[in-house]
């Protein structure tokens, strides 16, 4: 549940660096319980230059859209900033 705060705290570092990789859990319902917009948070990550991927057992790293993440079937996210 702390991912949004951690990412906000790291924003300056993220803005100054390339080639960053993040792995985080993502549950849209957790954002809603806290009055936050999960879709806006994901859009913000992409706006920082990250590409989002899903981490799926047996399939590995897969291409994923924000819509797919929002439907709640993929909970592990790999984000890459190049």
């Amino acid at each position: 549940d702390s991912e949004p705060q951690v990412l906000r705290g790291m924003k300056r570092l993220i803005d100054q660096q390339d080639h960053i990789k993040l792995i985080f859990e993502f549950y849209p319902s957790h954002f809603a319980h806290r009055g936050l917009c999960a879709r806006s948070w994901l859009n913000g990550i992409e706006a920082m230059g990250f590409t989002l991927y899903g981490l799926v057992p047996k399939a590995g790293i897969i291409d994923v859209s924000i819509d797919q993440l929002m439907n709640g079937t993929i909970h592990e996210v790999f984000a890459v900033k190049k």
Side-chain angles (χ1 to χ4, degrees), residues 53-70:
Y53 299 95
L55 295 175
V56 179
K58 298 183 183 176
I61 299 170
I62 63 167
D63 289 333
V64 68
S65 68
I66 288 177
D67 286 337
Q68 288 172 300
L69 292 172
M70 289 301 298

Side-chain angles (χ1 to χ4, degrees), residues 28-77:
S29 61
H30 292 190
F31 284 77
H33 285 37
R34 296 172 61 209
L36 302 172
C37 179
R39 184 177 296 276
S40 293
W41 189 72
L42 291 173
N43 285 331
I45 292 173
E46 285 188 336
M48 285 189 267
F50 285 93
T51 301
L52 303 175
Y53 299 95
L55 295 175
V56 179
K58 298 183 183 176
I61 299 170
I62 63 167
D63 289 333
V64 68
S65 68
I66 288 177
D67 286 337
Q68 288 172 300
L69 292 172
M70 289 301 298
N71 78 21
T73 58
I74 298 171
H75 300 292
E76 301 294 328
V77 180

